[in-house]
Amino acid sequence: MASVVLSEAEKLYIVHGVQEDLRVDGRGCEDYRCAEVETDVVSNTSGSARVKLGETDILVGIKAEMGTPKLEKPEEGYLEFFVDCCENSVDLKSLCINPKEHCWVLYVDILLLECGGNIFDAISIAVKAALFNTRIPRVRVLEDEEGTKEIELSDDPYDCIRLNVDEVPCIVTLSKIGYRHVVDATLQEEACSLASLLISVTSKGAITSMKKVGKGSLDPESIFEMMETGQRVGKSLHIALQKILDEEENLGTSRPKVGFLG
C-alpha cells in the first residue's frame, strides 16, 4: 500500500481544514474526486473495466470458464478473486449450468496500476463495472436416450447472458481525521488518519459488511455517524456509477475505444 510522509505542519493544515469541511483540493468531507469509468477495455476477456479515481488507477478483467460446482453448493457457480472481495452479492445460481456437474466460474483479476489513495473504493467500483460488462455464452444441456449429457455453446457471439449487478455493493471508506471523517481520502489525508471504517453498501443503502482499519480507535458515536454517511454517500455513488454504465451501454459498438489493451 502506498503511503506518504508529511511534516507536522502539513498534517496540522490538513486536519484543521477538514474540521471546517474544506479539504486541500477544495472538496467537502463527503465529496468524491472525479471518477473515470470505462468498460470493455481488455481484449480476450468476458468483461473488463478500468477506473481512475484521482491518482488511483484500477484495472479489472473477468474470464468465464466452465467448471464443476463446489460440493457444498451444487446448484451454484462461483467467483474466484485475485484480490479478496465479497462474492455473495452476485446471484450465483444464475452461473449454474447443470447442478453438481457444470457451472460457470468467474475469475476476477484486479490490477493496481497506480495508487493515489482510497484503493478499496476504487476496486469495488471497478469490479461492479466489470461484472456489468461481463457476457457469458448461452449454454444448452443436451441429453441422449442413455442419459449422457452434452454441453452445447451458442455460436452466436451476441447470444449470451448478463449478470444482475443490482445487489453488488460498493465500498465506501470513511477516514477519521480530527473530530470529523472524510470519504475518498487522498494519500496525504490517509497519512493524517489513524482509523478508517470500510463500509460495503448496496444501491438501496443496505450495509452488508464493515471493517475497521488503522491502529487508532473509533468511539461508538463516531461509528454510527460514519455508518450514516456511508449509507448516504454509497447510494449516491451507485446512482452515479449506474448512469455512466448505462450511457456506455447505449453507445453500443459506436463508442470510441480508448481503453487499456483494448
Side-chain angles (χ1 to χ4, degrees), residues 88-132:
N88 296 324
S89 51
V90 176
D91 179 15
L92 300 180
K93 290 185 180 296
S94 67
L95 299 178
C96 183
I97 299 170
N98 194 26
K100 298 183 180 180
E101 296 182 10
H102 303 95
C103 69
W104 287 109
V105 182
L106 302 185
Y107 294 94
V108 184
D109 291 320
I110 301 167
L111 176 62
L112 174 61
L113 301 174
E114 187 175 358
C115 183
N118 199 24
I119 184 174
F120 296 107
D121 296 27
I123 287 176
S124 71
I125 294 170
V127 168
K128 181 169 183 175
L131 288 171
F132 178 85

Side-chain angles (χ1 to χ4, degrees), residues 183-244:
V183 303
D184 187 25
T186 63
L187 286 177
Q188 291 76 16
E189 290 171 333
E190 288 179 350
C192 298
S193 175
L194 295 179
S196 297
L197 194 64
L198 278 63
I199 302 179
S200 179
V201 187
T202 68
S203 58
K204 296 181 180 178
I207 295 177
T208 59
S209 65
M210 287 196 308
K211 180 180 178 64
K212 181 227 161 231
V213 295
K215 59 185 179 181
S217 61
L218 295 171
D219 60 273
E221 184 178 353
S222 293
I223 292 175
F224 288 130
E225 290 178 354
M226 295 164 87
M227 289 173 62
E228 290 179 353
T229 301
Q231 287 179 298
R232 183 171 59 254
V233 172
K235 290 174 69 174
S236 299
L237 181 60
H238 278 286
I239 291 172
L241 175 59
Q242 194 59 52
K243 182 180 178 182
I244 294 173

Side-chain angles (χ1 to χ4, degrees), residues 25-220:
D25 55 13
R27 290 181 292 150
C29 289
E30 297 185 10
D31 295 334
Y32 268 80
R33 290 167 290 182
C34 179
E36 299 177 24
V37 180
E38 186 182 6
T39 58
D40 197 19
V41 292
V42 183
S43 59
N44 300 320
T45 62
S46 303
S48 61
R50 185 181 186 181
V51 169
K52 295 190 70 176
L53 185 61
E55 298 301 318
T56 296
D57 197 350
I58 304 291
L59 180 67
V60 173
I62 298 176
K63 293 290 288 286
E65 295 184 4
M66 206 170 294
T68 303
K70 296 181 179 179
L71 290 176
E72 65 273 19
K73 296 181 180 179
E75 297 184 356
E76 295 182 357
Y78 55 96
L79 281 69
E80 293 282 359
F81 282 86
F82 180 70
V83 174
D84 189 25
C85 296
C86 177
E87 64 180 55
N88 296 324
S89 51
V90 176
D91 179 15
L92 300 180
K93 290 185 180 296
S94 67
L95 299 178
C96 183
I97 299 170
N98 194 26
K100 298 183 180 180
E101 296 182 10
H102 303 95
C103 69
W104 287 109
V105 182
L106 302 185
Y107 294 94
V108 184
D109 291 320
I110 301 167
L111 176 62
L112 174 61
L113 301 174
E114 187 175 358
C115 183
N118 199 24
I119 184 174
F120 296 107
D121 296 27
I123 287 176
S124 71
I125 294 170
V127 168
K128 181 169 183 175
L131 288 171
F132 178 85
N133 180 243
T134 298
R135 296 342 188 237
I136 301 174
R138 195 173 297 278
V139 172
R140 289 198 304 162
V141 180
L142 306 177
E143 186 173 352
D144 60 23
E145 296 178 352
E146 299 178 354
T148 303
K149 295 177 181 178
E150 182 179 343
I151 301 297
E152 182 181 89
L153 274 70
S154 174
D155 294 330
D156 185 353
Y158 296 100
D159 186 18
C160 56
I161 63 174
R162 303 284 301 277
L163 298 173
N164 185 339
V165 299
D166 290 346
E167 296 302 316
V168 174
C170 283
I171 294 175
V172 178
T173 301
L174 300 113
S175 302
K176 189 71 179 294
I177 299 178
Y179 297 104
R180 301 191 67 162
H181 53 264
V182 302
V183 303
D184 187 25
T186 63
L187 286 177
Q188 291 76 16
E189 290 171 333
E190 288 179 350
C192 298
S193 175
L194 295 179
S196 297
L197 194 64
L198 278 63
I199 302 179
S200 179
V201 187
T202 68
S203 58
K204 296 181 180 178
I207 295 177
T208 59
S209 65
M210 287 196 308
K211 180 180 178 64
K212 181 227 161 231
V213 295
K215 59 185 179 181
S217 61
L218 295 171
D219 60 273

